[in-house]
Amino acid sequence: MVVASPPLPDNATLAANHREFADVLTQQQADGFRISAYRPAADVVAGLSQPVSEILERSGRERLTALPGMA
């Protein structure tokens, strides 16, 4: 049985979610490495010319994680 995944939000929403999560981690005084991983990813997602959902569908997760700041 194939289970459908919910649609991904648009890039602006994904970027905002990453920034918000980084802010929460900052407030919690979490490890700086974790915090610094979310902010660059937000910038990359916000600057993409294609929707993340389209990249994922056409090229797979490997293409997304290959983007700078998205490892």
Side-chain angles (χ1 to χ4, degrees):
M1 173 191 279
V2 175
V3 177
S5 298
L8 285 173
D10 61 39
N11 290 5
T13 302
L14 287 171
N17 290 346
H18 275 71
R19 288 186 184 104
E20 184 177 337
F21 193 60
D23 291 344
V24 168
L25 290 172
T26 299
Q27 291 170 355
Q28 294 175 345
Q29 298 179 344
D31 177 28
F33 178 77
R34 288 180 63 205
I35 297 165
S36 66
Y38 284 93
R39 294 194 196 283
D43 293 339
V44 168
V45 169
L48 291 173
S49 60
Q50 298 181 267
V52 166
S53 58
E54 212 174 274
I55 296 169
L56 186 60
E57 184 179 319
R58 290 185 181 176
S59 304
R61 177 177 246 171
E62 294 78 24
R63 174 67 181 114
L64 288 175
T65 58
L67 294 168
M70 295 292 284

